[in-house]
């Protein structure tokens, strides 16, 4: 079946089938669940941003205290230059 034949078959099925009866409280329940999902999504995004900010602060504090860009002191004795 190609695309137009599929669309025609679906239209035919939809025209033959009686319209389903929708429960009266379905819209309110769906809207309530949708709002709850949006609030949860906002909370999750906020927590992720806070975690990212916390990780950046921890990294900055570590970098300032550990100073990884500074060459570590030599563990061997320095060469003698005054002979």
């Amino acid at each position: 079946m190609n695309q137009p034949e599929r669309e025609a078959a679906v239209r035919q099925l939809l025209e033959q089938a009686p319209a389903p009866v929708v429960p009266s409280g379905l819209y309110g329940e769906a809207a309530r669940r949708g709002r709850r999902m949006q609030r949860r999504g906002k909370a999750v995004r906020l927590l992720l941003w806070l975690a990212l900010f916390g990780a950046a602060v921890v990294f900055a504090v570590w970098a300032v205290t550990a100073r990884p860009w500074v060459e570590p002191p030599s563990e061997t004795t320095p060469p003698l230059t005054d002979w």
Side-chain angles (χ1 to χ4, degrees):
M1 270 186 157
N2 58 17
Q3 186 71 22
E5 291 175 355
R6 287 185 198 160
E7 290 176 1
V10 169
R11 280 194 202 97
Q12 184 181 9
L13 286 173
L14 290 175
E15 289 171 359
Q16 292 175 354
V21 179
V22 178
S24 61
L26 184 63
Y27 173 75
E29 181 69 20
R32 185 181 65 78
R33 286 184 180 184
R35 283 190 299 272
R36 185 173 57 192
M37 286 175 57
Q38 284 181 336
R39 280 194 311 269
R40 285 182 181 172
K42 281 184 181 180
V44 166
R45 280 191 300 276
L46 176 65
L47 287 174
L48 288 175
W49 277 110
L50 288 174
L52 180 65
F53 179 72
V57 168
V58 167
F59 175 76
V61 169
W62 170 80
V64 167
T65 57
R67 297 180 8 173
W69 57 86
V70 175
E71 184 177 329
S74 177
E75 295 181 6
T76 60
T77 57
L80 295 175
T81 55
D82 294 334
W83 275 70

